[in-house]
Amino acid sequence: MVSRANKLALWRLAVVLLAHFVALDGGVAVAAAKPCRSPSSASVDDAGCLSWRVMVEANNARGWRTVPAPCVGYVTSYMTLGQYKRDLNSVMDQIAAYVDIIDADADGLDAWVLDIDDTCLSNLLYYESKQFGAYDPSAFKMWASKGACPGIRPVLELYDTLQYKGFKVFLLSGRDQETLATCTSQNLESEGFSGYERLIMRSPEYRGQSSSMFKSAMRKRLVEEDGYRIRGNVGDQWSDLQGDFVGDRVFKIPNPMYYVP
Amino acid sequence: MVSRANKLALWRLAVVLLAHFVALDGGVAVAAAKPCRSPSSASVDDAGCLSWRVMVEANNARGWRTVPAPCVGYVTSYMTLGQYKRDLNSVMDQIAAYVDIIDADADGLDAWVLDIDDTCLSNLLYYESKQFGAYDPSAFKMWASKGACPGIRPVLELYDTLQYKGFKVFLLSGRDQETLATCTSQNLESEGFSGYERLIMRSPEYRGQSSSMFKSAMRKRLVEEDGYRIRGNVGDQWSDLQGDFVGDRVFKIPNPMYYVP
């Protein structure tokens, strides 16, 4: 039994909740169309997808091939309605606090390693169009060839800060060098990522190797052969951040869209 | 301008949202009392606390001394209203899937390492009473001395499975051995954690060392001196799971209550 006073309180609460939704989603239309899809909504289903997303970020969920079917709507909402941006900005704040307390030595050997896909450049439009389905190498190659991936602004700001402070920035990507080098460097350039020290992509000898092994080998070379000190390492995949010579500090950019081993 | 039809749709949505809240919090009273405190609610403030929590789980936020003041209510709700349980169970499912595909060798050297505090035994009651404030060694010691930490049931189930499958389970804790060994082993026993291979606590020579260094040293001994193979490692802190000899696979149990370096 609900008293009259309680009923009124409930209605008032409903209005407050509704106001929250509208504020969060930036528009009534979106809120009305997808009431249960926002990661911030109270649906139990979403709470399960939230658990899954946190497991991905904590590297507890590994080797998954696609976003679980019940979470496709959740991931779309997460990426587009604000929470991804908030999460990303929070991580960038952590990186900024760390960058603030370190300096690049005059010898020019203090380096940062940044991943490209969904670290510097966003593939959200592509993965959304594929409904976060299984990896499709030729379709992805076609998408990447266009050189039209939007830059991820908060990462560009970090990139500029690092260069301003005298760090050498290495962009390290598992993309195929032979076929994607030109479009990738043009895409980076057009999105403001210019003046990096080196763009390192997957050469033919590393084809078929896991990203983790390939990137470990590249970092090993930077450190052991070239003498760089990797002061920071930023990527959206744990395979960017684990293995050998990962650097003094690693930062995981959120990405619930796909998993790269 | 909102049309009459849209207005109706919005009210209907509000009712749906309200129903979700009531269902999730298990009662109207809770939902009405704390509309903005549930991690699943749509408050922008909570969304910021969600970002922070995910950063903790992904090891992006390090060295924090207390839960950020605006997130104390959020963390309380997270830990008590269901999402922590859901997150924990999701991680346990991942562990179970991994345990399913590995076997313990007949030589008796396949081992698992489990942390104790907020992995096997819960300190939620203590930290909640302290409002997730700064670490207070003597107060925590008094709490631990009671030997009354509730066991964490899903971890106990894993513990039983591991023993059933023939793995040797090592409980590895940064708790002080001299003062807390007896109450800790009694607490474990009373909560069902019996028959472990060894309870390893911090002996006087490791006092003052970081948990990460102490635990690395203990694992190194297990592997190099005793010949064990660490097949899995479960902890609520990244310092349980990083360093040397971490094991074939590590699993991070959620804990937004405190940070141990």
Side-chain angles (χ1 to χ4, degrees):
Chain A
M1 287 295 287
V2 182
S3 74
R4 195 186 146 77
N6 274 346
K7 260 189 199 157
L8 263 173
L10 291 181
W11 277 107
R12 226 172 282 137
L13 172 63
V15 175
V16 169
L17 292 177
L18 186 57
H20 276 309
F21 261 81
V22 172
L24 206 72
D25 290 346
V28 170
V30 175
K34 303 181 177 180
C36 299
R37 289 309 189 187
S38 158
S40 304
S41 87
S43 124
V44 172
D45 202 48
D46 281 1
C49 294
L50 172 57
S51 289
W52 174 79
R53 178 168 74 79
V54 174
M55 283 205 305
V56 167
E57 294 308 321
N59 205 21
N60 281 322
R62 301 188 189 180
W64 48 279
R65 294 189 61 246
T66 63
V67 170
C71 296
V72 168
Y74 170 89
V75 167
T76 307
S77 300
Y78 169 74
M79 292 300 297
T80 56
L81 297 184
Q83 192 60 38
Y84 165 74
K85 228 177 232 172
R86 270 188 293 274
D87 288 0
L88 176 64
N89 284 332
S90 297
V91 178
M92 300 320 290
D93 287 347
Q94 292 285 330
I95 305 182
Y98 171 66
V99 173
D100 261 0
I101 58 165
I102 61 170
D103 284 307
D105 195 276
D107 67 7
L109 292 170
D110 283 305
W112 276 68
V113 175
L114 270 60
D115 167 61
I116 294 181
D117 283 302
D118 295 296
T119 299
C120 295
L121 301 177
S122 172
N123 295 304
L124 170 60
L125 294 171
Y126 167 77
Y127 284 102
E128 207 181 351
S129 77
K130 297 289 248 179
Q131 286 286 291
F132 310 105
Y135 182 57
D136 177 346
S138 63
F140 182 78
K141 197 164 269 184
M142 226 154 76
W143 156 258
S145 301
K146 292 183 196 161
C149 306
I152 299 180
R153 188 151 301 273
V155 180
L156 180 59
E157 282 165 26
L158 165 69
Y159 177 90
D160 288 339
T161 303
L162 291 174
Q163 293 204 311
Y164 176 78
K165 284 198 71 167
F167 293 102
K168 296 288 162 59
V169 178
F170 293 86
L171 300 181
L172 177 52
S173 169
R175 285 187 177 194
D176 184 63
Q177 185 169 36
E178 259 186 13
T179 51
L180 295 175
T182 310
C183 64
T184 301
S185 60
Q186 284 171 350
N187 197 158
L188 286 165
E189 195 71 30
S190 70
E191 292 300 309
F193 292 89
S194 53
Y196 44 78
E197 188 64 15
R198 212 179 297 164
L199 168 60
I200 306 170
M201 296 174 69
R202 193 190 292 264
S203 58
E205 65 191 291
Y206 290 100
R207 273 184 197 151
Q209 262 196 18
S210 73
S211 170
S212 172
M213 286 182 67
F214 160 67
K215 292 193 170 184
S216 284
M218 296 301 101
R219 290 190 306 258
K220 183 183 166 82
R221 204 178 279 176
L222 282 184
V223 171
E224 291 198 335
E225 294 180 21
D226 303 333
Y228 287 104
R229 298 174 292 271
I230 301 178
R231 306 299 301 277
N233 181 357
V234 185
D236 65 294
Q237 299 289 324
W238 277 100
S239 53
D240 298 327
L241 311 173
Q242 291 191 320
D244 304 322
F245 303 93
V246 292
D248 294 349
R249 179 100 196 240
V250 305
F251 295 94
K252 170 73 174 72
I253 300 270
N255 185 355
M257 300 186 292
Y258 57 88
Y259 177 90
V260 178
Chain B
M1 289 293 287
V2 182
S3 74
R4 194 186 148 77
N6 274 346
K7 260 187 199 159
L8 263 173
L10 291 179
W11 277 107
R12 227 173 281 136
L13 172 63
V15 175
V16 169
L17 292 177
L18 187 57
H20 276 308
F21 262 82
V22 172
L24 205 72
D25 289 344
V28 170
V30 175
K34 304 181 176 180
C36 298
R37 288 309 188 189
S38 157
S40 303
S41 86
S43 128
V44 171
D45 203 47
D46 280 2
C49 294
L50 173 57
S51 289
W52 174 78
R53 180 167 73 78
V54 175
M55 283 205 305
V56 168
E57 294 308 321
N59 205 20
N60 281 322
R62 300 187 188 183
W64 49 280
R65 295 190 61 246
T66 63
V67 170
C71 296
V72 168
Y74 170 89
V75 167
T76 307
S77 300
Y78 169 73
M79 292 300 297
T80 57
L81 296 184
Q83 192 60 39
Y84 165 73
K85 228 176 232 172
R86 270 187 292 275
D87 288 0
L88 176 63
N89 284 331
S90 297
V91 178
M92 300 321 288
D93 287 347
Q94 292 285 329
I95 305 181
Y98 170 66
V99 173
D100 261 0
I101 57 164
I102 62 170
D103 284 306
D105 195 276
D107 67 7
L109 292 170
D110 284 304
W112 276 68
V113 175
L114 271 60
D115 168 60
I116 294 181
D117 284 300
D118 295 297
T119 299
C120 294
L121 300 177
S122 172
N123 295 304
L124 171 60
L125 294 172
Y126 168 77
Y127 284 102
E128 206 181 351
S129 76
K130 299 287 248 179
Q131 285 285 294
F132 310 105
Y135 182 57
D136 177 345
S138 62
F140 181 78
K141 197 164 267 186
M142 226 153 75
W143 155 259
S145 301
K146 292 183 194 162
C149 305
I152 299 180
R153 189 153 299 271
V155 180
L156 180 59
E157 281 165 24
L158 165 69
Y159 177 90
D160 289 340
T161 304
L162 291 174
Q163 293 204 311
Y164 176 78
K165 286 199 71 168
F167 293 101
K168 297 288 163 60
V169 178
F170 292 86
L171 300 180
L172 177 52
S173 168
R175 285 187 178 194
D176 185 62
Q177 185 170 36
E178 260 186 12
T179 52
L180 296 175
T182 309
C183 64
T184 300
S185 61
Q186 285 172 350
N187 198 158
L188 287 163
E189 194 71 28
S190 70
E191 293 301 309
F193 292 89
S194 52
Y196 42 79
E197 188 64 16
R198 211 180 298 165
L199 167 59
I200 307 170
M201 296 174 68
R202 191 190 292 263
S203 58
E205 64 191 293
Y206 290 100
R207 274 185 197 149
Q209 260 195 22
S210 73
S211 170
S212 171
M213 286 181 67
F214 160 67
K215 293 194 169 182
S216 284
M218 296 302 101
R219 290 190 305 259
K220 182 185 167 83
R221 206 179 276 175
L222 283 182
V223 172
E224 291 198 336
E225 294 179 21
D226 303 334
Y228 287 104
R229 298 175 291 271
I230 301 178
R231 305 298 301 275
N233 181 357
V234 184
D236 64 295
Q237 298 289 325
W238 278 101
S239 52
D240 298 328
L241 311 174
Q242 291 190 319
D244 304 322
F245 303 95
V246 292
D248 293 348
R249 178 98 197 241
V250 305
F251 295 95
K252 170 74 174 70
I253 300 269
N255 185 356
M257 301 187 291
Y258 57 86
Y259 177 90
V260 178

